[in-house]
Amino acid sequence: MPMSRRLLIILGPTAVGKTDYSISKALELGSPVISCDSRQLFMNMSIGTAVPDASQLSAVKHYFIQTIPVDQAYTAGDYERDAIALVEKLFDEGHETLVMTGGSMFYIDAVCNGLDDLPDGDPVLRAELWARAAEGGVAPLAEELKSLDPLTYSQIDTQNTQRVIRALEGCLVSGKPFSAFKTGARRQRSFEIEKIGLNRSREELYERIDGRVLNMLDAGLVEEVRSLLPYRGCQALQTVGYREIFDYLDEKYPLEEAVRLIQRNTRHYAKRQLTWWRRDPSIKWLDL
RNA sequence: GGUGCCGUAGCUCAGAUGGUAGAGCAAUGGACUGAAAAUCCAUGUGUCGGCAGUUCGAUUCUUCCCGGCACCA
């Protein structure tokens, strides 16, 4: 008799209340919590990423919480590989239902649908391309992409430097058009996927966000960020809550302005999350 | 009670000697194939406090009313 294997993904905008909900769901189902959060993955970033607290972490086994050094690069592709490996292992050990939770839209989609085998980036080349963009703008890079890969050029936002460089990098590293690697095919998974979307009224969500930022300050956000100053340039620190405090430490603006910006940028993030998920009909929404 | 000032977008305010209005902040919609808490694109949402008068036309001028603030009693 085939064992049923189900991955229950609890998603929702930041600060909606995923942590508590997923822990109680995990306890109910006898599952660990598999985090799907591109920032809680990193070590030493606990206050600003609202990592579960000690009692929450001891209530149920958590995966992918604070496991990677902040100066290490980690991508959605890495997460797809690591998460699928873990999930397969846990299913093989006898779990029927596994609880995954998080707000990283792209990571969730990588787990559900898989990413194509696109060429890896080359850090040196990437740095060169960014230097060119800083000097002459995106336009010349976009033109170069147009000649190497007209299809990608026609599909992406050519004002989006990050996208243009990523595609150009793919072309230059592989010697082929970046688009040649895209199949758009969904990867077959060995388990069922169910998605629950947690939501609240916009007003309530924004109040929770604003309040949570103040709590982070009380909890010592400024000191946490100060301790991460040496890693400021790392990918992990390109994050709401950290960049604004770095600027405050530079005396670019007062603390209250940093707080205001963190609150606003977090609200913007929540809005982007909701935009992403709005087009996903497989999510069952639940108002908290 | 009297006098003066103010009432315009969610907030702070600007404005037209009469032709139904615009800045900042906030907000909203969208995109997304290895940086994704990143990156990028788009958008003004308004009975101009209310009733009436003058006028071809009033948010603008006038009367009155309502609300707020200040000062004088």
Side-chain angles (χ1 to χ4, degrees):
Chain A
M1 187 172 125
M3 185 96 83
S4 77
R5 301 167 131 213
R6 180 176 66 126
L7 180 65
L8 180 63
I9 302 178
I10 296 163
L11 54 85
T14 189
V16 78
K18 293 187 293 295
T19 302
D20 285 336
Y21 186 89
S22 58
I23 288 173
S24 61
K25 207 72 184 167
L27 289 171
E28 179 189 320
L29 295 165
S31 165
V33 169
I34 301 165
S35 170
C36 186
D37 188 303
S38 69
R39 299 298 131 125
Q40 291 183 2
L41 270 166
F42 291 100
M43 297 163 73
N44 306 312
M45 295 171 65
S46 47
I47 298 171
T49 63
V51 142
D53 65 32
S55 69
Q56 290 171 320
L57 289 174
S58 63
V60 50
K61 169 75 181 164
H62 280 71
Y63 290 95
F64 300 121
I65 296 281
Q66 304 201 294
T67 56
I68 298 170
V70 289
D71 58 352
Q72 189 175 314
Y74 194 85
T75 68
D78 295 328
Y79 184 79
E80 179 190 353
R81 185 196 62 232
D82 294 346
I84 293 299
L86 174 69
V87 160
E88 294 288 358
K89 173 174 154 283
L90 292 170
F91 280 135
D92 288 346
E93 287 172 4
H95 282 97
E96 295 201 356
T97 299
L98 292 171
V99 172
M100 175 176 275
T101 190
S104 297
M105 311 83 90
F106 191 37
Y107 281 31
I108 293 171
D109 282 6
V111 167
C112 295
N113 308 323
L115 299 173
D116 284 324
D117 289 317
L118 301 177
D120 284 331
D122 170 13
V124 176
L125 176 59
R126 179 179 299 188
E128 261 175 50
L129 293 172
W130 273 101
R132 280 178 52 193
E135 207 175 310
V138 233
L141 296 175
E143 282 309 305
E144 190 174 339
L145 177 63
K146 190 178 187 176
S147 67
L148 293 174
D149 184 357
L151 184 58
T152 296
Y153 174 86
S154 71
Q155 287 170 342
I156 68 170
D157 177 357
T158 52
Q159 296 201 72
N160 190 331
T161 311
Q162 213 172 78
R163 291 275 148 63
V164 171
I165 287 181
R166 166 67 183 137
L168 204 48
E169 223 182 304
C171 295
L172 294 171
V173 164
S174 68
K176 295 192 225 168
F178 189 58
S179 54
F181 298 89
K182 291 188 190 173
T183 68
R186 281 198 165 200
R187 198 148 297 183
Q188 202 59 38
R189 300 301 186 201
S190 69
F191 44 85
E192 299 292 310
I193 293 172
E194 193 176 319
K195 294 180 200 165
I196 296 179
L198 269 28
N199 203 4
R200 293 174 188 270
S201 73
R202 204 56 82 88
E203 190 186 17
E204 191 186 1
L205 184 63
Y206 285 5
E207 276 170 15
R208 286 173 65 96
I209 287 170
D210 291 351
R212 190 176 71 175
V213 172
L214 297 177
N215 290 338
M216 285 175 176
L217 253 86
D218 289 344
L221 180 62
V222 173
E223 284 320 302
E224 175 171 289
V225 177
R226 199 194 303 276
S227 73
L228 290 166
L229 221 31
Y231 305 101
R232 184 177 188 164
C234 298
Q235 169 211 319
L237 273 306
Q238 307 315 309
T239 303
V240 176
Y242 292 83
R243 292 163 135 186
E244 297 87 348
I245 299 292
F246 284 138
D247 284 342
Y248 156 68
L249 293 173
D250 283 348
E251 298 185 341
K252 195 169 160 189
Y253 40 63
L255 185 58
E256 59 180 27
E257 175 66 358
V259 170
R260 193 186 71 81
L261 291 173
I262 294 170
Q263 290 173 325
R264 184 198 62 187
N265 293 339
T266 306
R267 280 182 243 125
H268 288 350
Y269 172 50
K271 195 170 85 64
R272 263 181 283 133
Q273 290 176 299
L274 291 167
T275 297
W276 181 289
W277 290 318
R278 205 168 281 147
R279 69 183 175 191
D280 184 346
S282 67
I283 299 172
K284 286 180 209 150
W285 287 99
L286 182 66
D287 268 344
L288 292 180

